[in-house]
Amino acid sequence: MRNINEHTITPAFLERLARCQSSRLKEIMSSLVEHLHDFAREVRLTEAEWLAGIEFLTATGQKCSDTRQEFILLSDTLGLSMLTVALNQGKPAGATEATVFGPFHVLDAPPAEQGADIARGAPGEPLFVQARVRSLAGAPIAGAEVDIWQADDDGLYDVQRPELGSARRARALMHTDSAGSVRFRTIAPTAYPVPTDGPVGQMLLATGRHPWRPAHIHFMIRAAGFAPLITHIFVDGDKYLDSDVVFGVRSSLIGNFVRHAAGTAPDGTRMTQPFQVLQQDFVLAPLAASLLPARAA
Amino acid sequence: MRNINEHTITPAFLERLARCQSSRLKEIMSSLVEHLHDFAREVRLTEAEWLAGIEFLTATGQKCSDTRQEFILLSDTLGLSMLTVALNQGKPAGATEATVFGPFHVLDAPPAEQGADIARGAPGEPLFVQARVRSLAGAPIAGAEVDIWQADDDGLYDVQRPELGSARRARALMHTDSAGSVRFRTIAPTAYPVPTDGPVGQMLLATGRHPWRPAHIHFMIRAAGFAPLITHIFVDGDKYLDSDVVFGVRSSLIGNFVRHAAGTAPDGTRMTQPFQVLQQDFVLAPLAASLLPARAA
């Protein structure tokens, strides 16, 4: 086809998918490009704006590294991540809800034993966590993998501190004991801004949005026979609970962080400073149930 | 807002634009995110597909360099580039039409004098070009900047040949003489595949599309008082004229390449091999006219 105009370009593209072997890929590419073209026509995109978009996407890709995923951050801040979670993570009643994965998970979280201090020197008020992983029927799930990561009292993840190199702190990979529990010491999470030193930060600034997330700890929990759970536990009373920059807050995920004066911690440690305690249950859905809300027939 | 679901995410995002100072940016972001969310809902995007998309965009950004613009190539192959040209480059009758910019322009094209051999050793059948730059009224435009770039007989641009380092060939920056002309020697362009060693190549393969562009030479022409012109001249008879992978072919841009047996070239050179000659007029629209088809009021 020659002499394509603003109207014929879309059917011309769709014709090119005639030999696409995967019907699912064809469906995705058709919908994606129809919406992309509709967007450009709707706003009557100028060439300067097109180029700004190209430069923005390029800079976003180039900001990505092993410890920084700027495209996930973009997806998070545009609401696409939470939308994808909502489309896929409908849970049976009683199961713990999911929320966004975020850009700061790493694959090399240090393993930790029961009772370990996973803060490993990260600054913040001490926090003692007991998390129980259970089935919908209430049965403890032993040997579940519990991946934990969080920001410190300065609002920074370890990977955001160049001075740490590849050292990891305020994150760990644990496994539940025979009672389905993990117990660890860490620090209380605080609200923090998502990184604003990249293209996503520029987008937030240009569109008049704040970059803050309410305080939370990330959990990713996996156990054989159960649907993987990617979620957070939020802190009640946080001023950003209703304006989380990544739209991730669910009422059911607000934890019961209890503050204590100096004294004896749950693990017997004599604390000379105030500390917090969190007891949190996670209920995993069976593997099959989590697939129910997937694609309509 | 808490407990966002697949329907409430879009209004929740739009609310966040309340403090966006630029009404144009607000318009663009609103339309973009509404279409992005509609796409995800329409195809019921799975989490694995979302992650594949994140990884694709990341790889696309990381493939970009000073001499490779994979996001422009993506835009080109999805038809967005030609759509943007169509939205902005409506020309008055008689003016030369525009087409896509492509990913292989560089800012450091070597300046060349009239009559130069800009191929500088790039392989291909010799081609002698005389290009005249004129106004709609037919007046020659002296001193116009003419930026020329093309692939060689192997279908490669100089920047695609690592062995050349930063050496430039089959491209040049020239200026029209007092008669509004540039004359140069180069090589005949041939059809070539866009680079398939990156994410865009994977996308083309996965969707069953060929990666070929019909033979062409790129021209970008700028002169004071006239709308910049970004275009190609295509070769008649090319087998890919109707299936250009970037949708860029316009009938009016097919040039009259004339093949000659060995003998005397237009510049007086004695040629011992066959050669081609192209005489091509470019008609620039006045600056104001090119702005007419921009955004509706």
Side-chain angles (χ1 to χ4, degrees):
Chain A
M1 175 176 268
R2 307 181 193 183
N3 304 316
I4 280 170
N5 65 32
E6 68 176 88
H7 304 294
T8 56
I9 182 69
T10 309
F13 175 84
L14 296 176
E15 276 178 33
R16 297 287 173 91
L17 296 177
R19 290 182 203 160
C20 183
Q21 298 279 320
S22 159
S23 61
R24 177 61 178 164
L25 181 59
K26 188 172 180 176
E27 177 185 14
I28 288 175
M29 292 301 292
S30 299
S31 175
L32 181 70
V33 171
E34 286 182 302
H35 281 293
L36 181 66
H37 289 188
D38 282 347
F39 154 69
R41 280 185 288 257
E42 195 169 294
V43 303
R44 301 203 67 80
L45 195 69
T46 70
E47 290 172 303
E49 290 162 349
W50 170 84
L51 187 59
I54 294 287
E55 289 170 349
F56 178 85
L57 291 168
T58 304
T60 300
Q62 301 207 330
K63 194 73 182 174
C64 294
S65 69
D66 287 348
T67 54
R68 171 90 175 248
Q69 229 308 347
E70 193 81 356
F71 266 116
I72 290 185
L73 189 60
L74 180 60
S75 169
D76 290 355
T77 54
L78 297 185
L80 180 64
S81 304
M82 198 59 220
L83 171 54
T84 306
V85 169
L87 286 169
N88 293 279
Q89 292 287 339
K91 299 283 190 188
T96 302
E97 290 191 285
T99 186
V100 295
F101 188 54
F104 289 121
H105 181 259
V106 299
L107 293 173
D108 63 348
E113 298 298 319
Q114 294 289 343
D117 181 357
I118 72 167
R120 277 188 215 84
E125 186 163 83
L127 168 67
F128 295 85
V129 178
Q130 180 181 23
R132 297 193 305 171
V133 181
R134 298 187 295 118
S135 69
L136 279 173
I141 303 176
E145 183 185 282
V146 182
D147 201 340
I148 305 147
W149 67 105
Q150 67 169 98
D152 63 27
D153 209 39
D154 295 329
L156 295 172
Y157 288 80
D158 48 7
V159 295
Q160 294 179 281
R161 292 185 176 276
E163 72 273 19
L164 292 180
S166 61
R168 302 283 177 246
R169 65 187 202 184
R171 70 171 80 229
L173 190 61
M174 304 186 72
H175 289 83
T176 54
D177 61 17
S178 59
S181 290
V182 291
R183 293 176 307 283
F184 59 93
R185 177 175 169 169
T186 182
I187 47 172
T190 56
Y192 65 85
V194 296
T196 54
D197 61 338
V200 172
Q202 293 173 332
M203 180 273 289
L204 293 172
L205 185 66
T207 55
R209 294 173 59 186
H210 81 241
W212 289 83
R213 297 214 61 205
H216 62 276
I217 303 177
H218 293 261
F219 290 88
M220 177 161 65
I221 305 180
R222 290 184 280 203
F226 295 90
L229 173 65
I230 295 173
T231 196
H232 307 348
I233 299 301
F234 294 93
V235 178
D236 202 9
D238 191 290
K239 67 187 281 200
Y240 298 109
L241 282 172
D242 286 302
S243 66
D244 180 4
V245 69
V246 308
F247 308 94
V249 179
R250 309 197 80 75
S251 303
S252 69
L253 299 177
I254 297 175
N256 184 29
F257 290 78
V258 180
R259 196 145 188 265
H260 295 264
T264 306
D267 68 353
T269 308
R270 283 289 304 167
M271 300 297 291
T272 58
Q273 59 178 313
F275 60 94
Q276 298 183 36
V277 172
L278 170 68
Q279 292 207 315
Q280 181 67 44
D281 282 5
F282 294 93
V283 180
L284 302 192
L287 197 51
S290 77
L291 297 177
L292 287 179
R295 297 166 53 198
Chain B
M1 175 176 271
R2 306 180 194 182
N3 305 316
I4 280 170
N5 65 33
E6 69 176 89
H7 304 295
T8 55
I9 183 69
T10 309
F13 175 84
L14 296 175
E15 276 178 34
R16 297 285 173 91
L17 296 176
R19 288 180 203 161
C20 182
Q21 299 277 319
S22 159
S23 61
R24 176 61 177 164
L25 181 59
K26 188 172 179 176
E27 178 185 13
I28 287 174
M29 291 301 292
S30 299
S31 175
L32 181 69
V33 171
E34 286 182 301
H35 280 292
L36 181 66
H37 289 188
D38 282 347
F39 153 70
R41 281 185 288 257
E42 196 168 293
V43 302
R44 300 203 68 80
L45 195 70
T46 69
E47 290 172 301
E49 290 162 350
W50 170 84
L51 187 58
I54 294 287
E55 288 170 349
F56 178 84
L57 292 168
T58 303
T60 301
Q62 300 207 332
K63 194 73 183 174
C64 294
S65 68
D66 287 351
T67 53
R68 172 89 176 250
Q69 228 308 348
E70 193 80 356
F71 266 116
I72 290 185
L73 188 60
L74 180 60
S75 169
D76 290 355
T77 54
L78 297 185
L80 180 63
S81 303
M82 199 59 219
L83 170 54
T84 306
V85 169
L87 286 169
N88 292 279
Q89 292 287 339
K91 300 283 190 186
T96 301
E97 291 190 285
T99 187
V100 295
F101 188 53
F104 289 121
H105 181 258
V106 299
L107 293 173
D108 63 348
E113 297 298 318
Q114 294 288 344
D117 181 356
I118 71 167
R120 278 189 216 82
E125 186 163 85
L127 168 67
F128 295 86
V129 179
Q130 180 180 24
R132 298 192 306 172
V133 182
R134 298 186 296 118
S135 70
L136 278 173
I141 302 175
E145 182 185 283
V146 182
D147 201 340
I148 304 146
W149 67 107
Q150 67 169 100
D152 63 28
D153 209 38
D154 295 327
L156 295 171
Y157 289 81
D158 49 6
V159 295
Q160 294 179 280
R161 291 185 178 275
E163 72 272 19
L164 292 179
S166 61
R168 300 285 177 244
R169 67 186 200 186
R171 68 171 81 231
L173 191 61
M174 304 187 70
H175 288 84
T176 55
D177 62 16
S178 58
S181 291
V182 291
R183 294 176 305 285
F184 59 93
R185 176 174 169 170
T186 183
I187 48 174
T190 55
Y192 65 85
V194 296
T196 54
D197 62 338
V200 172
Q202 293 172 332
M203 180 274 289
L204 293 172
L205 185 67
T207 56
R209 294 173 58 187
H210 82 242
W212 288 83
R213 298 215 61 206
H216 61 275
I217 303 175
H218 293 261
F219 290 88
M220 177 162 65
I221 305 180
R222 288 183 282 204
F226 294 90
L229 173 65
I230 294 173
T231 195
H232 307 348
I233 299 301
F234 293 94
V235 177
D236 203 7
D238 191 290
K239 66 187 282 199
Y240 298 108
L241 283 172
D242 286 302
S243 65
D244 181 5
V245 68
V246 308
F247 309 93
V249 178
R250 308 199 80 75
S251 304
S252 69
L253 299 178
I254 296 175
N256 184 29
F257 290 77
V258 180
R259 196 144 189 268
H260 295 264
T264 305
D267 68 355
T269 307
R270 281 291 302 169
M271 301 298 290
T272 58
Q273 59 178 311
F275 60 93
Q276 298 184 38
V277 172
L278 171 67
Q279 293 207 314
Q280 181 67 44
D281 283 4
F282 294 94
V283 180
L284 301 192
L287 198 50
S290 77
L291 298 178
L292 286 179
R295 298 168 50 198

